[in-house]
Amino acid sequence: MSDLPQGWINMTLAEVGRWGSGGTPKASTSSYYGGTIPWIRSGDLPDGLIVGHEITLTVSGIENSAAKWVKGGAVLVAMYGATIGRLGITTYPVTTNQAVAFIEPSSSIDVRYLFENLRFRKPDLVALGQGGAQPNISQEILKAQAFPLAPLREQRRIVAKIDSLTGKSRRARDHLDHIPRLVEKYKQAILAAAFRGDLTRDWREAHDDIIPISQRHHSVEKFRKKAVKIVRRKSPLSIPNHQLPVHWGWLSPDQIADDSSYSLGIGPFGSNLVRTDYRDSGVRLVFVRDVRRGIFGIDDAKYVTTEKANELAPHLVISGDVLITKMGAPPGDTAIYPLGEPPAIITADCIKLRPHPGLTCAKYLMHCIRDEIVKLQLEAITKGVAQQKVSLDGFRQLALPIPPLEEQDEIVSRIETAFRWIDRLAANATSARKLIDQLDQSVLAKAFKGELVPQDLADEPASALLERIRAERAAALKAKRGRKKAA
């Protein structure tokens, strides 16, 4: 940090004030914990004011460990692992563990000025970490870092200006942080309108000659009855108290499944597919995690041999099949097995539904199952405590609101158009959020170049502060040595 503004001076962090770190009482000794003494760990540091704590120690816990008292108005710095560089300002006396360094600054240094400088330099502090999976930064490394000391009155002006500017960015950030939740609410509102029929009301008014879904379903059932092996399809177990538009109807997954074998099914049971069957190549397996994220990449994919896949033929999925999770909190995540992907085998806790092309389409079904009208039905048939699941029999008798095919296509088109618009807004909000973070860093950069606030030649120069700080440190060390001799 060279080229300092007039009146500033460089010093080391070691000279800023009293340094130290804490310790951890023996975890197996319960009498060391649960007292009235606040104890702060590195994970508790909020990168701001410390206004609360989770764990407390007893006097015995302090006496039998390296935990130390830290005054209010001190800066805490995390030195270990994933939290390295995290900061906090104590607002009341606390103790800390060994992963936290504390700095009780001299009266010539504003605690917020020190904190903001360390916050600005957090990327540098993280980079100073040493070690592999759990890097750490020692007090000695921290103390050796340069610190730009400004006149005390200028320190306070800088802090006030940072507060003013970052207060505005904080409000903007808070608004932007609400957008992901709003995005989900807007999408659910669109789905609700779609499956009430409101989203395509104008379309129906212009297309009143469309064949009702009941007529199409009757034709499909008539054909099915001519099959050599007649399979009785189950109707919805119960119908929601919800008025559907004319030409729509309530059909079950069982009724809208394709006429091909195993068009509606679940993954293999227990010993039919075990971990020892997994291979690094062959026929792909589809897991619940793949359905939840809607991505069927190859990074963590597992496979089975062709011979094993042949054994598991009833559980085969092909492009265009709708996949549903039958376990989770709650179950019912959906995805479409992508076009162009080779056939795969679903695993336990997945349901596959191959739609009948004369009754429905995969995209419509995927959105439909995500809507509240189906979610509530899934919730009602979900059982289990540790693992919540729906049964295939329960799923096959859900009531799905099914419009004519032509209207399904229109609904899908309007949902996807609306979702693209919402996703663009969310992407813009994410970009704006990153810009605000960059703006905060720019403000801090200007602050510690002396460019954020005007300088006042009447301010006591930092060189005088540093002389006073060093004199105070020398006096404290002399007094400490005197106490040791007396002891």
Side-chain angles (χ1 to χ4, degrees):
M1 295 184 181
S2 57
D3 301 322
L4 291 176
Q6 185 176 354
W8 292 36
I9 195 169
N10 257 331
M11 60 190 296
T12 64
L13 281 173
E15 298 176 290
V16 162
R18 185 175 84 92
W19 279 77
S21 62
T24 300
K26 195 173 182 180
S28 59
T29 306
S30 60
S31 62
Y32 292 166
Y33 294 88
T36 59
I37 299 170
W39 188 57
I40 304 297
R41 303 158 300 173
S42 60
D44 300 325
L45 300 183
D47 280 327
L49 296 176
I50 297 170
V51 294
H53 52 274
E54 291 184 5
I55 300 178
T56 56
L57 304 180
T58 62
V59 172
S60 180
I62 292 285
E63 291 174 346
N64 290 278
S65 74
K68 297 181 182 68
W69 277 106
V70 184
K71 296 177 182 177
V75 174
L76 306 186
V77 186
M79 299 187 292
Y80 298 166
T83 59
I84 189 170
R86 194 179 290 182
L87 303 165
I89 298 178
T90 58
T91 58
Y92 53 90
V94 302
T95 60
T96 73
N97 72 357
Q98 66 277 12
V100 177
F102 64 81
I103 316 167
E104 294 176 349
S106 159
S107 59
S108 296
I109 298 174
D110 186 287
V111 65
R112 278 288 311 285
Y113 177 83
L114 171 61
F115 170 85
E116 297 297 349
N117 179 264
L118 293 175
R119 184 163 74 94
F120 168 57
R121 297 162 63 181
K122 184 175 180 179
D124 297 330
L125 298 182
V126 172
L128 289 171
Q130 299 174 340
Q134 289 289 321
N136 65 80
I137 181 171
S138 69
Q139 277 192 64
E140 297 312 309
I141 292 175
L142 286 171
K143 289 178 180 180
Q145 304 308 303
F147 178 74
L149 183 64
L152 183 57
R153 288 173 58 188
E154 188 172 350
Q155 292 177 38
R156 292 168 179 162
R157 290 197 299 273
I158 287 171
V159 167
K161 189 65 173 179
I162 288 173
D163 282 345
S164 172
L165 295 174
T166 57
K168 294 174 183 176
S169 65
R170 190 180 303 112
R171 288 190 291 275
R173 191 182 290 109
D174 289 343
H175 288 305
L176 290 170
D177 286 346
H178 280 89
I179 287 180
R181 292 189 292 275
L182 292 175
V183 162
E184 189 55 35
K185 286 179 66 175
Y186 289 155
K187 286 186 174 182
Q188 283 300 317
I190 288 165
L191 292 178
F195 300 107
R196 286 194 310 262
D198 295 346
L199 194 63
T200 45
R201 181 180 287 116
D202 61 328
W203 185 91
R204 285 195 303 278
E205 291 171 355
H207 299 80
D208 56 1
D209 57 343
I210 294 300
I211 299 173
I213 194 63
S214 59
Q215 188 172 329
R216 289 184 182 273
H217 180 232
H218 177 75
S219 299
V220 169
E221 286 298 323
K222 188 176 179 181
F223 177 81
R224 284 170 173 167
K225 288 176 181 178
K226 295 178 181 179
V228 175
K229 184 179 179 181
I230 299 175
V231 178
R232 294 189 179 277
R233 305 290 180 125
K234 293 184 178 181
S235 302
L237 194 61
S238 63
I239 303 297
N241 185 21
H242 179 83
Q243 184 66 43
L244 293 179
V246 177
H247 300 337
W248 289 39
W250 294 103
L251 295 177
S252 69
D254 206 30
Q255 290 173 313
I256 60 172
D258 190 59
D259 292 335
S260 57
S261 300
Y262 312 118
S263 59
L264 178 59
I266 59 175
F269 291 105
S271 61
N272 291 331
L273 178 63
V274 294
R275 288 183 179 275
T276 53
D277 293 320
Y278 296 175
R279 299 292 184 270
D280 293 328
S281 62
V283 178
R284 182 186 179 134
L285 295 172
V286 172
F287 293 88
V288 165
R289 62 175 178 264
D290 301 314
V291 180
R292 281 185 179 147
R293 63 193 179 193
I295 298 173
F296 300 85
I298 60 172
D299 288 346
D300 56 353
K302 300 296 181 185
Y303 303 83
V304 292
T305 64
T306 303
E307 293 74 20
K308 186 64 179 178
N310 289 336
E311 291 178 25
L312 301 173
H315 313 289
L316 192 74
V317 293
I318 61 173
S319 296
D321 284 355
V322 180
L323 305 177
I324 307 101
T325 60
K326 67 183 288 285
M327 68 163 288
D333 291 318
T334 64
I336 297 172
Y337 192 61
L339 295 175
E341 288 292 323
I345 301 293
I346 55 170
T347 55
D349 299 319
C350 293
I351 298 173
K352 67 165 179 175
L353 172 55
R354 188 168 303 146
H356 192 295
L359 295 173
T360 189
C361 65
K363 285 187 176 181
Y364 178 85
L365 283 180
M366 178 183 71
H367 291 304
C368 181
I369 295 169
R370 291 175 178 176
D371 180 47
E372 197 70 16
I373 203 166
V374 179
K375 281 183 171 181
L376 290 173
Q377 296 179 67
L378 284 169
E379 186 178 316
I381 63 172
T382 297
K383 301 188 185 319
V385 179
Q387 283 194 330
Q388 295 186 316
K389 296 186 179 185
V390 298
S391 68
L392 180 60
D393 282 342
F395 178 81
R396 73 166 69 244
Q397 295 182 82
L398 295 176
L400 307 180
I402 306 296
L405 276 170
E406 297 85 351
E407 191 169 355
Q408 291 182 42
D409 291 339
E410 184 65 21
I411 287 171
V412 168
S413 175
R414 294 190 181 193
I415 287 174
E416 292 184 346
T417 298
F419 280 13
R420 280 195 297 271
W421 179 77
I422 291 171
D423 288 339
R424 279 199 299 272
L425 288 180
N428 290 340
T430 300
S431 298
R433 180 70 163 75
K434 292 177 181 176
L435 287 174
I436 288 174
D437 292 341
Q438 292 171 12
L439 177 62
D440 283 351
Q441 279 298 103
S442 297
V443 167
L444 293 175
K446 289 177 72 70
F448 297 107
K449 289 179 182 176
E451 299 173 357
L452 191 63
V453 297
Q455 293 180 281
D456 187 342
L457 296 178
D459 290 344
E460 181 183 28
S463 56
L465 298 182
L466 183 55
E467 287 179 13
R468 191 157 58 245
I469 290 169
R470 286 173 174 167
E472 289 170 355
R473 282 171 57 84
L477 287 171
K478 186 176 180 180
K480 187 176 181 180
R481 285 195 293 268
R483 287 193 297 272
K484 284 184 178 179
K485 286 180 180 178

